[in-house]
Amino acid sequence: MPELTPDALRAAVARIAPSRIPALTQHLFEATTNAQQTQSLAPLRAFVHSWAVFVAIERHPERAARLRDLERLVKAGTGGGCDGPWYG
């Protein structure tokens, strides 16, 4: 896992998902602008957290693909009930 700094996260994203660099750059710009306007570090902390999670997931391609599959299933829904042992 890279250091939790914009530069280290940018380098990690460049290695594992170079197509996402423009999104990272835009998010950093927005976070910096919001931090200045609100005089708060919260937007920058949110930026770092968001991209650290992205890197943590995407550095394991099989897990990332499984997560995307599960997210698609949740989004699609089935309309049916649950049948696990904790329901009923």
Side-chain angles (χ1 to χ4, degrees):
M1 192 67 193
E3 289 184 39
L4 299 180
T5 65
D7 288 340
L9 291 168
R10 182 189 315 272
V13 171
R15 268 192 316 279
I16 62 175
S19 66
R20 300 289 294 165
I21 290 293
L24 179 142
T25 302
Q26 180 64 31
H27 190 182
L28 179 57
F29 175 78
E30 291 169 2
T32 302
T33 300
N34 289 340
Q36 290 171 342
Q37 290 174 347
T38 61
Q39 297 182 354
S40 169
L41 292 177
L44 293 171
R45 288 185 184 123
F47 164 83
V48 167
H49 176 77
S50 175
W51 287 97
V53 169
F54 176 83
V55 168
I57 292 169
E58 295 297 324
R59 67 186 177 144
H60 300 285
E62 300 83 21
R63 291 181 190 171
R66 178 71 174 140
L67 176 61
R68 284 189 290 278
D69 289 344
L70 293 171
E71 288 172 334
R72 275 192 291 276
L73 285 173
V74 169
K75 185 176 180 181
T78 61
C82 297
D83 59 358
W86 46 89
Y87 293 99

